[in-house]
Amino acid sequence: MSEAYERERQNNARLDELSAKVSALRGVTIDIYDNARAQDVIDNTTDTFASMSSNLKGSTSRLTRMAASGNRVAILKLSGIIIGIFLVLYYAVKLIL
């Protein structure tokens, strides 16, 4: 009878060890998943900045062509819009902070 209790105790101890190992493995798996998701976010951010860079280059080339064409009214309007946006953003940030 005593031997059966001893085996049961050993089985329970090994079951607890196995449970701890499974929990550790689950934790590692979750960490790997979180790291993979973070890497995906970094990749998406890189793609977004690359797209923004190409859009900015395209806008710059169009502005350069417009300035080279000599359309002074359009250049003045664009300058006014840029200055206005800058002032609005400046005061908005100043109010928030």
Side-chain angles (χ1 to χ4, degrees):
M1 204 61 144
S2 172
E3 189 176 316
Y5 289 122
E6 182 62 27
R7 285 186 184 160
E8 185 67 27
R9 189 186 61 75
Q10 287 175 351
N11 284 343
N12 287 339
R14 288 192 177 161
L15 185 61
D16 290 340
E17 290 173 8
L18 184 60
S19 175
K21 288 179 183 179
V22 168
S23 294
L25 183 60
R26 183 172 186 249
V28 169
T29 304
I30 290 172
D31 289 344
I32 290 171
Y33 176 76
D34 290 343
N35 192 1
R37 287 186 53 91
Q39 187 65 34
D40 187 45
V41 168
I42 291 171
D43 290 343
N44 288 341
T45 303
T46 302
D47 293 343
T48 300
F49 278 113
S51 173
M52 185 180 72
S53 174
S54 65
N55 287 339
L56 188 60
K57 286 178 185 176
S59 296
T60 304
S61 66
R62 287 190 296 275
L63 285 173
T64 303
R65 278 187 276 145
M66 183 185 72
S69 71
N71 189 351
R72 295 188 191 274
V73 175
I75 294 171
L76 287 174
K77 285 181 183 178
L78 181 63
S79 299
I81 290 170
I82 290 172
I83 291 171
I85 290 173
F86 175 76
L87 290 174
V88 167
L89 288 175
Y90 175 77
Y91 285 115
V93 169
K94 196 172 182 180
L95 286 174
I96 292 172
L97 299 177

